[in-house]
Amino acid sequence: MKRAFHALPLMALAFATPALAQSLDVASPDGHNRIRLSVDAQGQPLWSAERDGQQVIEASPLGLTLAEGPLATGLTVTGSEATAGEDRYAIIAGKAASAADRYRALSIQLVEKDGARRALTVELRAYNDGVAFRTILPVQPQIVAPIIREERSEFRVAPGSHCWGFNIGSFGKSHEGEYEPVDPAKARPHNLFDLPMLCESNGKALAITEAGLADYAGLALTGRGDGGPGFAAKLSPALDDPRIAVRGKVGSPLASPWRLIMLGDKAGDLIPSTLVTSLAEPSRVAQTDWIKPGLSAWDWWNGPSLKSVAKAGTNTETAKAFIDFAAANGLPYSLIDEGWYQGAGGAGEVRPGADMMHWNPAIDLPALIDYGAKKHVRLWLWFNWRALDANMEAALAQYAAMGIAGIKVDFMDRDDQAMVDWYHRLLEAAARHHLMVDLHGAYVPRGLTRAYPNFLTQEGVMGAEYNKWSRRVTADHNVMLAYTRGLLGPMDYTPGGFNNVAPADFVPRNDRPFVQTTRAHGLALYVAYESPFASLADSPDAYAESPQGLDFIRGVPTIWDETRFLGGQVGDYVAIARRKGKRWYVGVLNNHEARSISLPLDLLGAAFHMTLWRDGATPRETVKEARAVHGALALDLAGSGGAAMILEP
């Protein structure tokens, strides 16, 4: 991947007196967004953000607590430099084919007026779809090897803001849960919110998140210590010493990830944004033609359950049946999940003596690789991360040489600095061996798919697997994901369940699980959610017994040239359009309440030939129709329903 980057200095300012330096701001190229840094009478740096003159983040503290003490007050601005740039790059697998994000930036130097006179740099950026800041500890004799105990940044949303977040509760979790209403005036320090935090404020929308996470601890949000409305930064603590969040290196500066505020006039405007990847590290993978996104058959979610196999499970006959299903439906991949290597079966635990370098006797892996190759289907393999970490290089080399296409790695369930570094180490090694990667049991995206485009998807979402043991994956939850977790990057939600039932008839079960949305809603997930490696999670038997809509899934792309928001309201419904070539694909997700909507298809083009899959008389039924359409499309959505469509000029 080639990267074009242009940063042009606008001016370099050296201030003769502190009074001139205490409030600085930068506006986006289109003038709609502005981020400001000021320093109050106590020398406390404060940042704020506005859109179209409406303040969406009020003056909020920023700073750090180091091992030597706080670096947050007693500071003064000594100089600044303004620049402008455009980050233009190809997106190998994502919501758009490329990004060209223009920005204006300001780098501000601060120094303590007294004492050790430690220095801190704050960088501000303003884009047309958001603003961001980060702190940098320059190399300085006062700080030999920086240790950050906590970040003191706050996000004081404007009064009256309505927010939605996921209260994860504590660190060391799998980042899987519901995004629910959050009153920013009632957020408390004992709360711990995962990213993003979505808010509507003063007629505008914002999402608080981070981008460019590397050599640092992951960010979560908590309540302000003073009980005021808004949120405060909380860094994931080190496992070996919870008093430490980040350890820097001797002789190197230490930069935080970008604290990103995505901005728009309404929440749906945030969906097409590429800022999470634009603020991340450029690609480290020079050759990318081997990276092939696509759909996959999958054995785990449905049981496995197969009538054609006497004893379905992790064995050769079952794996062959899933390869046959993939081949018959034009799917390039089939995923063999947990249990294939010797001693596997402990899920999140690694059993003593487990050996991922050898497969268990019930599964003939070389024969399956050959069998799949003859049918143009390549295999992915599941790994427990601890087992893989014990012999990573040898395992990746071996399975790449055998012809494995990718790996699904599971149960990391952390975002401390050591785990963040492990992600980078794994993805770099996988790229060297031309292996694609799906990180399950993962934290939410921070843009790492840009640095490693072989990193196709990740969990960090409460997806369809929860249908096996809970009632939590509702249509309401799915709608909220599009406005929250879906903003950040690909999510391995694992759609494709074809046992659709009404919520009142839903019961959790392990084999052949039910899903409590309509079939049309389930089809729409393949468009509404971004995932360059997406599964058909159900049994081949389920698709054979009730095939309505399978024709849509077979042909749906997994990477896109363009993404647009067509309509919706947070929590009610969402309509997302994605383009591949000249075709538009539209996914509409509705919550539990039936409604009639009008979709402005004229935003996509003058006239189309439409193929539509909409809700039928029962949850499993879809009505398929093909006709010309222009202008707005009237659409009736069932409760827990939806629609999927293909639009061709």
Side-chain angles (χ1 to χ4, degrees), residues 398-444:
Q398 172 174 295
Y399 292 111
M402 291 176 66
I404 294 299
I407 57 173
K408 175 181 176 179
V409 187
D410 207 348
F411 290 110
M412 292 76 68
D413 297 344
R414 291 166 31 208
D415 61 355
D416 54 273
Q417 185 181 17
M419 182 54 72
V420 169
D421 292 345
W422 190 84
Y423 274 38
H424 286 254
R425 183 160 58 90
L426 168 68
L427 294 170
E428 186 277 329
R432 277 192 287 104
H433 293 290
H434 287 194
L435 287 167
M436 294 173 283
V437 179
D438 170 6
L439 291 181
H440 223 56
Y443 54 74
V444 301

Side-chain angles (χ1 to χ4, degrees), residues 34-219:
R34 186 176 298 273
I35 183 169
R36 175 177 287 107
L37 183 81
S38 60
V39 180
D40 67 14
Q42 288 72 46
Q44 168 72 68
L46 305 168
W47 75 281
S48 60
E50 60 186 53
R51 179 170 173 82
D52 295 328
Q54 294 287 333
Q55 195 164 58
V56 292
I57 300 288
E58 297 190 328
S60 302
L62 63 80
L64 302 168
T65 297
L66 306 179
E68 300 85 359
L71 182 57
T73 58
L75 294 160
T76 187
V77 175
T78 59
S80 69
E81 181 179 4
T83 58
E86 180 172 325
D87 208 1
R88 185 185 297 271
Y89 58 97
I91 299 175
I92 302 302
K95 67 175 70 174
S98 63
D101 291 313
R102 298 171 57 226
Y103 65 86
R104 291 177 178 165
L106 195 62
S107 178
I108 303 167
Q109 294 78 49
L110 301 102
V111 173
E112 290 177 305
K113 291 180 284 188
D114 301 308
R117 296 189 58 80
R118 295 171 296 175
L120 180 70
T121 299
V122 178
E123 293 188 354
L124 310 178
R125 282 195 186 181
Y127 292 81
N128 292 346
D129 49 349
V131 298
F133 73 88
R134 68 175 177 178
T135 56
I136 301 173
L137 283 170
V139 177
Q140 50 195 299
Q142 304 96 315
I143 306 173
V144 177
I147 290 178
I148 297 176
R149 297 202 182 280
E150 62 177 350
E151 182 174 336
R152 301 167 72 98
S153 301
E154 294 187 3
F155 306 84
R156 298 185 174 184
V157 295
S161 297
H162 299 281
C163 299
W164 295 264
F166 164 31
N167 188 356
I168 195 170
S170 61
F171 293 107
K173 295 287 186 65
S174 60
H175 302 269
E176 299 164 11
E178 295 92 341
Y179 287 83
E180 299 173 321
V182 174
D183 184 346
K186 295 181 179 179
R188 296 292 180 260
H190 63 266
N191 302 137
L192 190 72
F193 297 98
D194 208 349
L195 301 177
M197 179 67 70
L198 174 71
C199 299
E200 292 182 332
S201 174
N202 287 332
K204 307 297 178 184
L206 65 95
I208 304 168
T209 189
E210 73 173 339
L213 175 61
D215 297 322
Y216 216 82
L219 173 71

Side-chain angles (χ1 to χ4, degrees), residues 277-487:
T277 49
S278 293
L279 285 163
E281 182 183 0
S283 178
R284 294 185 176 187
V285 183
Q287 180 190 357
T288 59
D289 57 355
W290 56 273
I291 299 171
K292 306 289 186 183
L295 295 168
S296 179
W298 182 32
D299 57 4
W300 180 83
W301 186 81
N302 57 83
S305 177
L306 284 166
K307 294 177 181 177
S308 62
V309 177
K311 189 174 182 181
T314 307
N315 55 51
T316 299
E317 291 308 307
T318 300
K320 280 186 174 181
F322 278 92
I323 291 171
D324 290 342
F325 170 75
N329 289 278
L331 313 182
Y333 302 117
S334 187
L335 168 63
I336 301 176
D337 212 275
E338 203 267 352
W340 64 270
Y341 56 81
Q342 285 188 11
E349 299 296 324
V350 179
R351 292 172 171 171
D355 180 7
M356 64 176 178
M357 300 299 294
H358 297 89
W359 38 97
N360 72 47
I363 193 158
D364 188 342
L365 190 59
L368 287 170
I369 293 170
D370 290 343
Y371 184 78
K374 292 174 183 175
K375 298 200 169 199
H376 306 290
V377 175
R378 298 184 68 196
L379 297 182
W380 285 57
L381 297 176
W382 179 98
F383 291 87
N384 177 293
W385 84 271
R386 295 180 189 275
L388 180 59
D389 187 48
N391 203 4
M392 182 190 296
E393 185 62 30
L396 298 185
Q398 172 174 295
Y399 292 111
M402 291 176 66
I404 294 299
I407 57 173
K408 175 181 176 179
V409 187
D410 207 348
F411 290 110
M412 292 76 68
D413 297 344
R414 291 166 31 208
D415 61 355
D416 54 273
Q417 185 181 17
M419 182 54 72
V420 169
D421 292 345
W422 190 84
Y423 274 38
H424 286 254
R425 183 160 58 90
L426 168 68
L427 294 170
E428 186 277 329
R432 277 192 287 104
H433 293 290
H434 287 194
L435 287 167
M436 294 173 283
V437 179
D438 170 6
L439 291 181
H440 223 56
Y443 54 74
V444 301
R446 267 75 165 192
L448 193 54
T449 54
R450 180 181 177 189
Y452 297 100
N454 59 313
F455 180 18
L456 294 189
T457 195
Q458 63 195 102
E459 200 178 21
V461 63
M462 192 177 78
E465 67 181 18
Y466 276 72
N467 288 305
K468 292 165 76 76
W469 58 78
S470 83
R471 300 175 182 271
R472 295 171 62 184
V473 181
T474 63
D476 296 50
H477 170 67
N478 291 345
V479 171
M480 282 305 307
L481 287 179
Y483 288 105
T484 52
R485 166 63 179 81
L487 301 178

